[in-house]
Structures are given as structure tokens and as C-alpha cells.
Amino acid sequence: MRMYDIIMKKRDGGVLSDEEIGFFVDGVVDGSIPDYQSSALLMAIYFRGLNAHETAVLTDRMAHSGDLVDLSAIHGFKADKHSTGGVGDKTTMIVGPIVASCGVSVAKMSGRGLGHTGGTVDKLESIPGFRVELSPEEFVRTVNEVGICVVGQSGNLAPADKKLYALRDVTATVDSIPLIAASIMSKKIAAGADGIVLDVKVGSGAFMKTLDDAVRLAETMVAIGEKVGRKTVALLTNMDAPLGRAVGNALEVREAVETLQGHGPAELTTICRALAANMLFLAGKGDLHHCDQLAREAVLTGAAFERFKMMVTAQGGDPSVLDDPEKLPQARMLHRVRAPKSGYITHIDAEKCGVAAAMLGAGRQKKGDPIDYAAGITFTRELGEQVEESFEFARFYTADEGRIPEAERLFLEAVTISEEPLPEMPKLIFGRVSAEGTELI
Ligand code: URA
């Protein structure tokens, strides 16, 4: 078999055989296929697509390209969640403890942030002492004892994805539906959970800019999950604006704590409850309405917050910072961002906000860069609210004063202030995709 022929076949719109896809994935992992040929095939796939069978085979081969996490020693149903990437998305720190406190195990591997999107692992590491690198034995023991553990991705999980993602990142082939679906689902399948809830983001801060594309991506991923025997549901959620009022690692931990204590922002609370309810539903805890009530009660009774504290303690973190968030890393500089004119906030571009927060130190410009856990942005006025010229509507936190002017220029570009208020608030959840079909709300 020759890589040249595989590239030519896809370039001309052909359908790849299982063997050809296997040859490609094996060659990527063992290094026998040079990057220029892999990149050429990725570009051919970008333009020609993959059919459902090709996508499923690619996913399966990528999932099996490295270690498969063995969760068989964890009692009962194991639920997982995954977000397709966003700004201000701290849902794992809220949803995981809710679900665990309702008696369903959450054994979760999360990623680090890159570019404008944040990563749960970085957020958790802003808690002093918190360890995200546990041995497989510690991971399993923690889930059995506490019901939840969130760790970084193990080095050899889906290595084919690691290589292909890095190539896609530099060859403008990231936003291809079959390639995103295979990338996400290969990692989820290798991570071993019985049920997977996907949070597919739609909007300016997401990979999928339109609802139609997000539906196609969600349907593709749900079909793959179900095909390999994992119960899979996807929610389509809004990522036109950042989620919640805080963007930045320690700032987001603080907001997650507030939400677990029942006084977080309304839209963040709504999305977290919906994700948690769907995880409980997949675990067989009742119908969706009942599961929604379970999720609500877990917050009201304080059980979910207690579970988060248990998880932090079990993973070496200092749980006292959750009762006293002033003990989280604090920025040296606070800069108040003032409204350039009076009006209503009618749009907040999530991607630009994410880049501005990264400039202040909350994110990396490239892999491996250090992060300032205290850095980021909080909104003191939200989407839809009125602002007065020269009054504060957001705050910047940073260690480096010199970064403020550039971040502020970009941030002010991200926020639209209009004379007229929004006719209605944008939808938070656009729909749900499951094995039974797609329901748009
Ligand atoms: N997240 C992933 O893990 N892979 C993609 O391709 C896109 C988002």
C-alpha cells in the first residue's frame, strides 16, 4: 500500500477502505508517513469529507493507537462529559461534583487550554497543591472513594490524535467535521466511560460557527459513540459570548464555587444543570425531568459543593481556598475597564475575549508556555445590561501592566454597545442529539 495512492483517492473524492485508514493511522503513529503526506491527506479530507463508515473507522483506529484506560475496577456506571472548546467554560468543575454527589462515578480526563480556549486542567491547577497527574491506580482509587477524579490526559492516550491535531493546527484543517468528530471521540472512547455527554458549542467563540454545522458534528459524534457501545448524548449550547462572568483560571474556580453554592450566573447554572441531568439520565437515574431535579437538589443541599471539596482534598489541593477564595492566587494589578459610550451590551465576542484574557497571562501563546493563574477578566456588567459612558463594566487582572493596553484594545473590539437593547436574550441551549434523534428547541 502506498500513501500516495491513498491521498490521490481521497483527493478525487473516493471512499477509503478500512485497510487504507488503518495504514494511515499506523504510519502516523510509527512515523513512517512523513508529515507532508499526512497533511496532504488531511487537506483532501477537509475538502472531500469522510462518510459515516470512514469516520467511524478513523475514530476506532485513533482510539486504539495507544493506551485504553481500564476503568473496570471502578464500581457502577462511569459518566464522562466533553466540551468542544470555549471561553469561560468551567462546567466540568460544577457538573462533575453534581453528578458524583448523585451517586454516579465521574472518571474524567481533561485538557489544557490552547489559544483562546481555556482548559480544565489549568483551572484546577490554580488551586494550591492540586495534582492532575495521578497514577492509573490512584485515579481509580480516588473515583471509587470520592466518586470523582479529574486528571490530565495520560501521555499515550490516542497518540494518533496528538500528532494529527498538531498537524491540523498548522495546516488550516482543524474545522473539519469528520476530523473533529474522530479527534474528540477517539479520546473519549480510549478514556473508557460508559456514558458520554458532549457539549457542542455553537457561535463566534466555537469551532462550529453555525447551528447546522454543530448539528452535523453532534450527530456524527453521537453515532460513533453509540456504534461502539457507549451511551452518547450531545447538547448544542451557545458560545457566542463567554460562559459566565469570569475568564481566567483562578477567577473561574471562584465562579465554579459560587455556582456550586447556588449563586452563580443564571446561564452558567442552566447549562451545568442540563449537562448534569443528561449524565444522570445516561446512568439510568430516571427520566430527564427527574434527573434535572436531582441536579438541582445536589446544589441546594450543598452536596455538590461538599463533593468538590472532597475531590480537591483527595487530589492534594487545599480545600480551605474553596471556603475562602481570597486564598486563590491573586493578581498584582487590577485594571477597571470603562465603557467608551452609554448603551446596552448587545454582543460579546467570545474568541476575542479569550485572546484578551490570554494576553493578560491567563492563557498560553504556544504549548508549554507558563500561565499566570490569577490573570483574566471578569464582567461587572453582562450581555443585555445597560452601561454608562466611562463607568466600569469589566475588570482586568494581571501581573504585567504592560499587557493592559493591547488587551484592552482587543477587548473593547469584542464588546458591542448599542443604543437599542437586545430584542430578546439569545438562546442558551439550541437542542439535544441522542440515539433517538435530534430535537431542536
Ligand atoms: N477538540 C478536540 O479534541 N479535537 C478537535 O479536533 C477539536 C476540538
Side-chain angles (χ1 to χ4, degrees):
M1 206 173 282
R2 292 192 319 159
M3 190 59 191
Y4 180 91
D5 300 321
I6 297 175
I7 296 168
M8 190 163 64
K9 189 173 183 185
K10 187 45 81 182
R11 184 200 67 186
D12 295 342
V15 173
L16 301 180
S17 69
D18 296 6
E19 293 69 33
E20 286 165 334
I21 294 171
F23 176 85
F24 166 56
V25 173
D26 292 346
V28 167
V29 176
D30 68 21
S32 58
I33 297 175
D35 286 354
Y36 51 82
Q37 285 191 313
S38 298
S39 303
L41 182 61
L42 290 170
M43 191 56 89
I45 293 174
Y46 182 88
F47 282 113
R48 292 295 191 171
L50 293 175
N51 68 24
H53 180 77
E54 290 173 297
T55 310
V57 174
L58 177 64
T59 309
D60 183 64
R61 297 303 291 244
M62 284 165 63
H64 288 85
S65 64
D67 298 340
L68 294 179
V69 180
D70 179 9
L71 298 181
S72 58
I74 297 175
H75 321 308
F77 190 92
K78 276 83 68 182
D80 196 357
K81 76 169 270 287
H82 184 86
S83 148
T84 59
V87 178
D89 184 348
K90 64 281 294 173
T91 54
T92 292
M93 293 186 283
I94 303 160
V95 172
I98 293 178
V99 170
S101 71
C102 294
V104 174
S105 297
V106 180
K108 172 126 184 65
M109 292 195 168
S110 286
R112 293 192 183 277
L114 186 65
H116 74 280
T117 64
T120 302
V121 160
D122 297 323
K123 296 172 197 187
L124 286 169
E125 278 185 341
S126 70
I127 300 172
F130 196 97
R131 290 190 305 129
V132 295
E133 279 170 28
L134 305 189
S135 67
E137 296 72 31
E138 261 184 302
F139 181 52
V140 166
R141 184 162 24 86
T142 308
V143 180
N144 274 335
E145 285 172 9
V146 183
I148 177 168
C149 188
V150 181
V151 292
Q153 217 158 277
S154 94
N156 203 31
L157 191 93
D161 178 61
K162 205 178 231 172
K163 292 203 174 179
L164 289 177
Y165 195 91
L167 284 181
R168 287 165 59 212
D169 205 19
V170 292
T171 56
T173 50
V174 169
D175 49 346
S176 143
I177 289 175
L179 293 178
I180 295 177
S183 164
I184 291 176
M185 291 309 289
S186 62
K187 288 175 286 206
K188 291 290 107 184
I189 292 166
D194 304 308
I196 303 161
V197 173
L198 301 162
D199 181 4
V200 178
K201 305 285 191 192
V202 192
S204 67
F207 289 117
M208 297 293 105
K209 308 286 183 209
T210 67
L211 184 57
D212 277 357
D213 281 348
V215 168
R216 279 204 297 138
L217 175 62
E219 288 177 347
T220 307
M221 293 197 288
V222 168
I224 295 169
E226 293 286 334
K227 192 167 175 171
V228 296
R230 312 293 169 91
K231 291 185 182 179
T232 311
V233 161
L235 295 185
L236 304 156
T237 70
N238 194 330
M239 188 39 77
D240 249 339
L243 188 54
R245 293 186 211 116
V247 181
N249 300 286
L251 298 168
E252 293 191 40
V253 169
R254 191 176 185 139
E255 190 169 57
V257 166
E258 286 163 9
T259 308
L260 282 167
Q261 290 172 332
H263 45 87
E267 77 279 23
L268 175 62
T269 304
T270 303
I271 288 185
C272 287
R273 238 170 86 178
L275 292 168
N278 275 282
M279 287 166 81
L280 295 169
F281 172 77
L282 291 186
K285 289 282 175 185
D287 64 22
L288 264 179
H289 177 72
H290 178 68
C291 290
D292 182 58
Q293 289 309 312
L294 291 177
R296 183 169 165 269
E297 277 162 28
V299 172
L300 284 179
T301 59
F305 181 49
E306 267 320 299
R307 195 60 63 135
F308 188 44
K309 276 198 203 163
M310 286 162 70
M311 173 188 126
V312 167
T313 309
Q315 294 191 233
D318 174 1
S320 73
V321 305
L322 305 181
D323 287 317
D324 180 6
E326 298 299 319
K327 288 188 181 170
L328 283 164
Q330 301 291 325
R332 214 166 41 77
M333 286 278 318
L334 162 67
H335 171 74
R336 295 175 200 280
V337 183
R338 298 181 187 278
K341 60 178 183 178
S342 298
Y344 297 86
I345 301 182
T346 51
H347 181 62
I348 304 173
D349 183 293
E351 183 166 351
K352 284 185 177 155
C353 273
V355 175
M359 279 178 180
L360 293 171
R364 301 179 178 83
Q365 306 304 323
K366 59 182 188 328
K367 208 173 163 208
D369 278 354
I371 272 195
D372 174 1
Y373 293 121
I377 299 172
T378 57
F379 285 87
T380 46
R381 287 283 181 282
E382 289 179 69
L383 187 67
E385 286 186 340
Q386 207 167 3
V387 290
E388 290 287 332
E389 184 177 338
S390 71
F391 276 74
E392 170 195 294
F393 75 105
R395 291 177 180 185
F396 283 1
Y397 300 86
T398 186
D400 183 352
E401 200 174 348
R403 295 180 179 205
I404 292 175
E406 178 70 2
E408 184 161 18
R409 191 194 51 73
L410 187 67
F411 181 74
L412 289 175
E413 257 178 52
V415 179
T416 309
I417 298 175
S418 310
E419 279 175 21
E420 296 300 318
L422 277 174
E424 56 182 341
M425 286 300 280
K427 271 189 191 162
L428 280 181
I429 302 179
F430 299 108
R432 179 175 183 270
V433 177
S434 70
E436 278 69 54
T438 299
E439 300 156 59
L440 292 183
I441 298 167

